[in-house]
Amino acid sequence: MSLLSNLIVHFSLLVVLLAAMTPLGLAGDYRFVPAGLVLAVMYFWACRAPRSLPYWLVFLSGLVVDIVSYGPLGYWASVYVAGIYVARCLPGHGEGRGRGLAGWLGFVAAAAVAFAVAWLLACGYSFQTLPLAPFAKSTGVLIALHAPLTWILDAISRIAAGRPVANFERRG
């Protein structure tokens, strides 16, 4: 992978981390969506450019989200590592993979595991069983946002690699 491609991976991760840190004023049930977008971007790059997204960077990104959100240290770091671990264990993982229906189903699996870990950690941290609704709703929103986010990141990676971006105009 070229230096420019590595910079694109890290810059896109930095942009989504900054977006996750921005107070968006989302309703209580959707409060995990900004932090979940970080997972979605990590999933994209874990499938397309796995060498550019080592586990230490995934963990460090989670610690940044933990520090900025005033949450317990290691919470989002553990959630991100669990999600990316699932993404890397899926069949067909590697350079240029994670496209189409298989990529979407892989993200569904990674997001489900990541938010199950998030719920379990939150329950353990608070010593009580918390409602699943905020976690499930946030996961649903992230699954719905996966396709447009993948399209945007794929276009960026194609431009960086000097490949043409798909044109969806009708030719006739």
Side-chain angles (χ1 to χ4, degrees):
M1 197 163 206
S2 70
L3 177 63
L4 179 61
S5 298
N6 278 330
L7 288 175
I8 294 292
V9 171
H10 298 146
F11 183 72
S12 65
L13 185 57
L14 177 65
V15 167
V16 77
L17 277 169
L18 291 173
M21 295 176 203
T22 306
L24 299 175
L26 295 174
D29 283 352
Y30 301 101
R31 64 183 175 269
F32 300 117
V33 171
L37 286 174
V38 176
L39 177 68
V41 170
M42 286 181 185
Y43 175 82
F44 177 86
W45 293 119
C47 290
R48 303 288 173 91
R51 291 186 202 122
S52 295
L53 192 68
Y55 280 111
W56 65 264
L57 183 59
V58 172
F59 189 81
L60 183 64
S61 300
L63 285 179
V64 169
V65 173
D66 290 334
I67 291 168
V68 172
S69 66
Y70 301 109
L73 285 180
Y75 178 79
W76 284 108
S78 300
V79 170
Y80 294 157
V81 167
I84 298 307
Y85 178 77
V86 169
R88 290 189 174 165
C89 288
L90 293 172
H93 165 74
E95 297 282 344
R97 307 287 170 99
R99 291 188 163 99
L101 181 61
W104 182 78
L105 289 173
F107 180 71
V108 169
V113 168
F115 278 95
V117 169
W119 180 75
L120 288 170
L121 289 174
C123 289
Y125 181 70
S126 62
F127 295 112
Q128 61 181 344
T129 304
L130 298 174
L132 277 171
F135 297 92
K137 288 180 181 179
S138 295
T139 304
V141 169
L142 287 173
I143 290 169
L145 290 175
H146 179 259
L149 184 63
T150 298
W151 186 81
I152 291 167
L153 290 171
D154 190 46
I156 291 169
S157 68
R158 286 179 175 276
I159 290 169
R163 296 187 315 255
V165 178
N167 188 354
F168 295 108
E169 291 180 7
R170 186 175 199 161
R171 295 179 188 181

